[in-house]
Amino acid sequence: MANPYNAPAPIPPAPRPPDTRPLRRRPRVWIGGVVLFVAGTLVGTAGNGGQQPVETKVKPATTITATSTVTATPEPGPTVTETVKAAAKPRPTVTVTKTAVARAAGTNSGGGSGSQDTTGTCSIVSSSGNCYSAGQFCRNSDHGATTTTASGAAIKCTYSSNAWRWSYV
């Protein structure tokens, strides 16, 4: 009895002998070359698709230059001086002078918003010199500080809504 696992392997067929004819004598090579040549010619001639060439005309570039001059500093208003004399008989007379600068009509600062004033009574001002208003963020150095808005309302730097903000006292 023969073991099927020990059977001899089948012998592969003998390799085909190389074609001894040169490439120029093989008909399949000629047919393939002619087909590629004809396909390339058809693609090359149908490249424009019957469209007319478009001529482009270069237009000169237009440059517009605008110059604007804005003065942010208002003209100074008139100065009002009030002098009060205190009469004290045993001492020499004391003179107290109050000086106030009247605001010129229609002038405001703060970039045209009109909500902030650089000449207000606020004791703490922003880096740009404007008074703070309620709702704005506080600097680290202002945490817990109290000041007034440009209109004179008291505000304090408090921690609310995960941020330090100015809020009304």
Side-chain angles (χ1 to χ4, degrees):
M1 181 159 162
N3 188 353
Y5 295 108
N6 290 339
I11 300 174
R16 185 175 169 195
D19 202 355
T20 56
R21 293 182 292 169
L23 288 177
R24 66 180 186 276
R25 296 210 179 225
R26 295 182 190 178
R28 288 184 196 164
V29 172
W30 276 97
I31 292 172
V34 169
V35 168
L36 287 175
F37 179 74
V38 170
T41 305
L42 290 175
V43 169
T45 57
N48 66 359
Q51 297 176 354
Q52 297 295 325
V54 177
E55 294 181 21
T56 59
K57 296 180 181 178
V58 178
K59 296 181 179 178
T62 305
T63 304
I64 299 173
T65 304
T67 304
S68 175
T69 305
V70 178
T71 39
T73 29
E75 296 179 10
T79 302
V80 179
T81 304
E82 179 183 341
T83 304
V84 178
K85 290 187 179 183
K89 293 195 180 194
R91 295 189 231 161
T93 58
V94 177
T95 302
V96 178
T97 304
K98 283 176 42 179
T99 304
V101 177
R103 282 183 69 189
T107 60
N108 65 5
S109 60
S113 65
S115 64
Q116 295 177 343
D117 186 10
T118 57
T119 62
T121 60
C122 50
S123 59
I124 300 175
V125 293
S126 66
S127 300
S128 61
N130 297 325
C131 295
Y132 283 108
S133 60
Q136 289 183 320
F137 290 107
C138 305
R139 295 181 291 203
N140 291 338
S141 60
D142 295 336
H143 292 178
T146 304
T147 186
T148 56
T149 62
S151 62
I155 56 174
K156 183 175 183 177
C157 180
T158 58
Y159 187 77
S160 64
S161 301
N162 297 328
W164 286 90
R165 295 178 179 266
W166 291 104
S167 59
Y168 291 107
V169 178

